[in-house]
């Protein structure tokens, strides 16, 4: 995809903007399944905001770069190189901005150039586009290749008398070109944490002020190691049960009770993506190009069905160990390495009608929970 003259670029940004905006409406809908599971909705929204910010930056960036590449045949999201470049530019934005005249000065120079040269000031326009891009990238958080963990909730499990955290983090997988959001429920049996967080009544100690969200794992002695672990264990190629098992093994006093992974994508946009020929063919017949898209995502979950207690022997000891449930009766769940999963699809009303008229809804959406968006309303099928 070449920029900025290529109309396919404008259409891609128009459709992905509509899709992410639609997902935001869906998440805010009181009747949506993710709204009812308030923790999932609470976790996803900030990462969705990051993703929208990234696309806003990329859209500004095409004003002064020659190409913008999308994984057209697979995820439908930008290739990983774009994500890396965005992160590098974010880190150098302040220095680069200092070397570019301010916006008012550039506008003045552009007006003067037009009057004097009777031509369009291409070079100045490029510098203006770069300035707007660098200013945009500094306005808020973007979806980086890896978004560090943060603790968003803390409570005490009345059965085990241990504090537990809900921790979330994000990763943009470079191979699958898919943005992913992780959330884990983790009990902590560290002696120092038990003494600090659990009161005599077995509840969360009210004298400890915890200003949530907290950057990193709430346990300060393990926070740095936990950051490093999540950085190395967030690839799409790793199944959720593998990640949870690795976490259980690497941290004897951390007990992962549940791990969820929300995988955004694939994304389908008529005339741009090639990840499903039949879908793209039907979407291309949608009257309004901005409605010719389909966004899918998958929620994967693995949970512990039991905890084997620690064993202390004279010669050796073994820490407590989780037994994770894998739904072996479901071949897809077994392949994913999960206890359960849900596939979702968000589609504009116009596009859904086109798919329905073509008799393709069952073939395309058979395994999906379908959510049809029309204006600011989302209707979810049963």
């Amino acid at each position: 995809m070449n920029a900025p003259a290529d109309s396919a670029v404008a259409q891609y940004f128009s459709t992905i903007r509509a899709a992410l905006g639609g997902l935001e409406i869906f998440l805010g809908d009181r009747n949506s399944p993710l709204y009812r599971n308030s923790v999932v909705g609470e976790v996803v929204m900030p990462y969705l905001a990051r993703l929208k910010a990234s696309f806003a930056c990329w859209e500004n960036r095409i004003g002064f770069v020659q190409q913008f590449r999308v994984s057209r045949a697979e995820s439908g999201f930008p290739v990983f190189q774009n994500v890396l470049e965005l992160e590098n530019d974010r880190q150098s934005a302040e220095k680069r901005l200092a070397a570019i005249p301010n916006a008012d000065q550039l506008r003045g120079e552009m007006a003067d150039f037009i009057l004097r040269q009777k031509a369009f000031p291409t070079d100045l326009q490029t510098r203006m586009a770069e300035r707007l891009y660098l200013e945009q990238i500094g306005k808020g958080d973007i979806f980086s290749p890896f978004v560090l963990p943060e603790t968003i909730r803390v409570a005490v499990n009345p059965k085990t008398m241990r504090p537990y955290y809900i921790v979330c983090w994000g990763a943009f997988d470079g191979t699958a070109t898919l943005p992913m959001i992780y959330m884990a429920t983790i009990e902590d049996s560290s002696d120092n944490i038990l003494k600090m967080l659990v009161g005599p009544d077995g509840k969360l100690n009210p004298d400890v002020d915890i200003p949530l969200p907290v950057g990193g794992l709430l346990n300060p002695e393990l926070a740095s190691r936990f950051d490093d672990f999540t950085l190395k264990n967030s690839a799409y190629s790793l199944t959720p049960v593998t990640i949870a098992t690795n976490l259980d093994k690497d941290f004897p006093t951390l007990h992962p009770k549940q791990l969820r992974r929300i995988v955004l994508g694939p994304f389908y946009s008529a005339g741009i993506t090639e990840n499903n020929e039949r879908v793209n063919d039907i979407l291309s017949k949608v009257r309004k190009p901005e409605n010719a898209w389909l966004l899918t995502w998958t929620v994967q979950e693995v949970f512990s069905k039991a905890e084997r207690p620690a064993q202390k022997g004279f010669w050796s000891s073994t820490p407590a160990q989780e037994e994770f449930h894998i739904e072996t009766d479901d071949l897809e769940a077994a392949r994913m390495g999960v206890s359960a999963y849900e596939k979702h699809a968000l589609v504009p009303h116009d596009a859904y009608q086109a798919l329905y008229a073509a008799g393709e809804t069952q073939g395309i959406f058979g395994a999906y929970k379908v959510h049809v968006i029309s204006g600011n309303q989302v209707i979810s099928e049963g």
Side-chain angles (χ1 to χ4, degrees):
M1 297 172 71
N2 292 319
D6 193 336
S7 61
V9 174
Q11 184 185 340
Y12 177 76
F13 279 106
S14 173
T15 54
I16 193 71
R17 190 165 51 242
L20 296 179
L23 181 54
E24 193 171 46
I25 291 170
F26 171 74
L27 289 172
D29 184 351
R30 291 180 178 274
N31 295 316
S32 81
L34 292 188
Y35 187 97
R36 289 195 295 271
N37 189 332
S38 59
V39 179
V40 177
E42 178 186 340
V43 167
V44 173
M45 284 295 258
Y47 293 93
L48 179 57
R50 284 176 175 271
L51 198 56
K52 290 175 68 178
S54 289
F55 275 100
C57 291
W58 280 320
E59 194 166 10
N60 281 328
R61 193 172 189 270
I62 62 175
F64 63 94
V65 296
Q66 295 303 308
Q67 287 189 330
F68 181 77
R69 293 180 58 221
V70 171
S71 175
R72 299 173 69 175
E74 294 175 353
S75 73
F77 279 90
V79 299
F80 193 52
Q81 184 62 31
N82 291 311
V83 183
L84 293 174
E85 288 171 354
L86 208 59
E87 180 66 15
N88 290 336
D89 288 346
R90 184 184 67 82
Q91 295 178 12
S92 63
E94 190 173 341
K95 183 178 179 181
R96 287 169 60 183
L97 272 171
I100 301 174
N102 64 48
D104 288 340
Q105 184 178 339
L106 284 171
R107 290 189 190 98
E109 291 179 13
M110 289 169 69
D112 185 63
F113 184 95
I114 293 170
L115 289 171
R116 289 175 179 273
Q117 305 295 329
K118 308 298 183 186
F120 187 78
T122 304
D123 291 343
L124 288 169
Q125 177 67 23
T126 299
R127 297 207 80 190
M128 175 66 89
E130 184 176 5
R131 178 164 194 92
L132 292 174
Y133 163 72
L134 293 170
E135 288 176 346
Q136 172 71 28
I137 208 172
K139 284 181 180 177
D141 294 324
I142 57 172
F143 204 113
S144 302
F146 178 71
V147 183
L148 284 165
E150 64 177 14
T151 302
I152 63 164
R153 290 194 184 179
V154 58
V156 175
N157 183 339
K159 293 182 179 179
T160 62
M161 302 293 284
R162 295 173 183 159
Y164 68 86
Y165 322 124
I166 295 180
V167 188
C168 56
W169 65 96
F172 198 109
D173 188 86
T175 303
T177 62
L178 290 166
M180 301 177 297
I181 303 153
Y182 287 89
M183 57 181 296
T185 302
I186 303 169
E187 289 187 9
D188 192 342
S189 60
S190 306
D191 289 339
N192 62 325
I193 291 294
L194 288 170
K195 291 175 183 176
M196 180 174 67
L197 294 183
V198 183
D201 58 355
K203 297 180 180 179
L204 199 62
N205 187 348
D207 296 329
V208 179
D209 182 31
I210 305 171
L212 297 172
V214 173
L217 188 75
L218 190 61
N219 186 330
E221 293 181 5
L222 300 178
S224 180
R225 277 183 56 209
F226 187 82
D227 285 352
D228 188 56
F229 171 87
T230 51
L231 175 62
K232 294 174 180 176
N233 286 268
S234 294
Y236 179 68
S237 58
L238 296 175
T239 63
V241 72
T242 298
I243 298 170
T245 301
N246 290 345
L247 176 59
D248 193 33
K249 288 180 179 177
D250 287 6
F251 296 87
T253 59
L254 295 183
H255 313 277
K257 298 301 180 180
Q258 181 189 55
L259 176 74
R260 281 196 182 104
R261 177 166 70 184
I262 297 98
V263 183
L264 295 176
F267 171 66
Y268 307 86
S269 181
I272 297 168
T273 57
E274 302 163 352
N275 34 19
N276 186 310
E277 185 177 349
R278 186 61 183 141
V279 170
N280 291 320
D281 179 55
I282 298 169
L283 289 179
S284 67
K285 297 171 184 174
V286 174
R287 186 167 48 90
K288 294 182 178 180
E290 64 269 25
N291 288 336
W293 56 266
L294 167 63
L295 176 64
T296 64
W297 69 92
T298 304
V299 182
Q300 301 171 322
E301 176 191 352
V302 64
F303 59 81
S304 172
K305 60 183 179 181
E307 180 183 307
R308 292 184 209 154
Q311 293 186 350
K312 295 182 179 180
F314 188 76
W315 299 108
S316 64
S317 61
T318 57
Q321 193 173 24
E322 302 298 328
E323 295 181 15
F324 296 106
H325 171 68
I326 299 299
E327 187 52 72
T328 53
D329 290 341
D330 185 322
L331 293 179
E332 183 73 355
R335 183 190 66 80
M336 290 183 184
V338 296
S339 312
Y341 68 93
E342 287 183 353
K343 289 185 173 183
H344 295 263
L346 181 70
V347 60
H349 185 258
D350 289 359
Y352 185 80
Q353 280 190 318
L355 292 164
Y356 184 83
E360 295 285 347
T361 52
Q362 183 57 38
I364 292 169
F365 297 127
Y368 289 82
K369 295 179 182 291
V370 182
H371 316 287
V372 181
I373 183 165
S374 179
N376 289 322
Q377 289 188 320
V378 178
I379 300 172
S380 298
E381 294 190 343

